[in-house]
Amino acid sequence: MLASLSIRDVVLIDRLDLDLGPGLAVLTGETGAGKSILLDALGLALGARGDSGLVRAGAAQASVTAVFEVAEDHPALTMLAEQEIPAALPLILRRTVTPDGRSRAWVNDRAVGVGLLRQLGEVLVEIHGQHDQHGLLDPRTHREVLDQFGGHEALKAEVARRFREMQAADTARDRAEAEAEAVRREEDHLRTSLADLDKLKPQPGEEEDLVHRRQRLQNADRMVAALNAALDALNGEPTLEVRLLDADRALQRLPDAETDERVRQLRAGLERASIEIGEGVAGVERLLADLDLGEDSLEVVEDRLYALRAAARRHQVTTEDLPELARKLRARLELIDGGGTVAAKLTAAAAEARRVYREVAEDLSRARKAAADDLIKAIAVELGPLRMGRVEIAVAFDPLPEDAWGPEGIERCQFMVRTNPGAPAGPLARVASGGELSRLMLALKVVLARTASAGTLVFDEVDSGIGGAVADAVGERLQRLGGHAQVLVVTHNPQVAARGDLHLRVAKRVEGETTLTEVRALTAAERREEVARMLSGAELTAEARAAADRLMSLAVRS
């Protein structure tokens, strides 16, 4: 919803701040008062072309700021997230234009391109005028509108999922076929390389193990010599244990050997030393026994290490990658050695994925055609009171070629209109006249109100060229539409103006030699006077005021 609109120095508007709310807002005023300027300013904030002619004479720049209140899941916030722009609420769109035509745009105080501003504008506001070629007048939106009306979200999601599966299956098949062809071109090289690796039989972690074994073998002689020397020193004749035993026996011969505490401590120390020496001998013997040098010689280990590294260089990989390389080569050769089995399976899988996609896409097509029938009937109900009972709406379905199938289905959908019996049906924008088009858009939006994507709808003189009961029917539908979305309408019809929840009057004022346009929200009493003016012209009469009272009371009751 458009919460506020601030305009500075746009054509005849020097300064304007409007606060808007939900429901139906009507803009009235004399012809030439500047109602179109207000819409041009809003269009500028929504990414329309920045014309230097919009800048008020003598001003440094024109500036428009539009503030929108939207739900946290609104598509506009998704767009901002994709551009890494903070999606703070409310959403503030700002645009400036200088007299030399230069334009700048901001969203939430972040400078952006006008293209992004235009994309945001398309999901925030729909403007329906006699020359607007967007919204429902853009055939690219018709399929989405039909799906929203029919409630096809789950079916559309299934079609999109099946389309992605079909793409993945086609890609897998095409990749396998391309790989098989590449294998055939380099088959001799692949087979030679695989034979080389199969003969070598590289193992994961083998290089590290060989390096460690080579290091041990290179140090083997020194390690054995050192351990044997240690044993010789410990086991020399007489052994250290024998010497310690002789020392203990000598101490036993001392007087009072059994009672002298010092002698006992010496003998205990000799006993501990004997035990430690025994453990030391046993430890050295264990080290010597555990010195597993394997059956391979240093020459064998180095030859194996050289062979692995040479193979890695030939294939431009690491030695650790050689086993995986052999697996990949074998898998590639299986593409042709398997007699086409892999390719045949992938081709069958791709065909099945295409069959399933087409099946669910045809389900969606049937659902769309059923929804189109219901939509046409609902629109026909609305067209009668709008003096368009002879207008016929249709939905054209054009099948797409297979190479144009997509996640949204297998056909294009376009709304068509026949304004006169016997005349050919054609696209909305080409067949209907300005007034017919505006009322046709109104009927469509009333029917589609509950599924509208934009929270704000603008109708520029939707009631052009009509009056009486038809104008009242237009007003009633605009009021009804205002119950589902924010609606802004420029009108010259009192029947429409009387139904507004908010009434804005556009008028000119002259200050010295300067003409300015002002917009003001009317009070209840002022609304009565404005509706009466629209009924009677410049001279207000009691009858006009009474008629205005009747129109406004009818609007409240409905």
Side-chain angles (χ1 to χ4, degrees), residues 247-274:
D248 182 62
R249 287 172 181 166
L251 290 174
Q252 290 180 35
R253 294 195 295 271
L254 288 172
D256 301 325
E258 297 298 329
T259 59
D260 191 326
E261 181 62 27
R262 291 175 300 173
V263 176
R264 285 204 304 269
Q265 289 181 359
L266 283 172
R267 292 184 66 198
L270 292 173
E271 184 180 2
R272 289 195 300 273
S274 179

Side-chain angles (χ1 to χ4, degrees), residues 339-544:
T341 303
V342 174
K345 287 181 179 179
L346 291 174
T347 300
E352 175 62 13
R354 181 167 293 266
R355 183 195 67 78
V356 172
Y357 166 78
R358 181 166 191 162
E359 185 176 284
V360 294
E362 288 174 347
D363 289 342
L364 179 57
S365 297
R366 285 189 287 271
R368 282 171 172 161
K369 290 173 182 176
D373 291 341
D374 293 338
L375 179 61
I376 290 168
K377 293 175 184 176
I379 293 173
V381 172
E382 299 296 333
L383 290 177
L386 297 176
R387 207 172 66 187
M388 298 182 71
R390 301 175 70 181
V391 173
E392 298 178 13
I393 297 292
V395 180
F397 292 87
D398 297 320
L400 293 169
E402 285 198 24
D403 59 1
W405 288 356
E408 295 183 341
I410 57 177
E411 73 278 308
R412 294 188 188 91
C413 305
Q414 183 176 1
F415 295 153
M416 308 291 282
V417 61
R418 179 184 289 110
T419 56
N420 297 297
L428 296 178
R430 296 181 183 177
V431 174
S433 65
E436 290 174 329
L437 193 56
S438 295
R439 280 176 280 154
L440 186 55
M441 289 299 101
L442 175 60
L444 279 166
K445 294 310 298 184
V446 168
V447 172
L448 299 170
R450 295 186 183 276
T451 61
S453 57
T456 300
L457 305 174
V458 178
F459 289 91
D460 185 9
E461 299 188 7
V462 65
D463 51 3
S464 177
I466 61 172
V470 178
D472 187 61
V474 169
E476 188 273 331
R477 279 151 181 79
L478 287 168
Q479 186 179 32
R480 194 189 334 156
L481 189 56
H484 300 286
Q486 181 188 49
V487 179
L488 279 68
V489 59
V490 176
T491 181
H492 291 284
N493 243 300
Q495 290 92 336
V496 175
R499 292 181 176 271
D501 298 298
L502 173 67
H503 193 145
L504 301 172
R505 174 167 169 73
V506 183
K508 285 183 179 179
R509 74 176 192 275
V510 178
E511 295 182 359
E513 297 182 356
T514 303
T515 300
L516 299 174
T517 291
E518 62 180 9
V519 182
R520 190 167 61 84
L522 302 182
T523 65
E526 290 171 333
R527 285 187 62 198
R528 176 185 183 235
E529 293 296 292
E530 176 67 3
V531 173
R533 180 196 65 77
M534 297 172 73
L535 284 165
S536 64
E539 183 178 352
L540 294 181
T541 64
E543 291 80 2

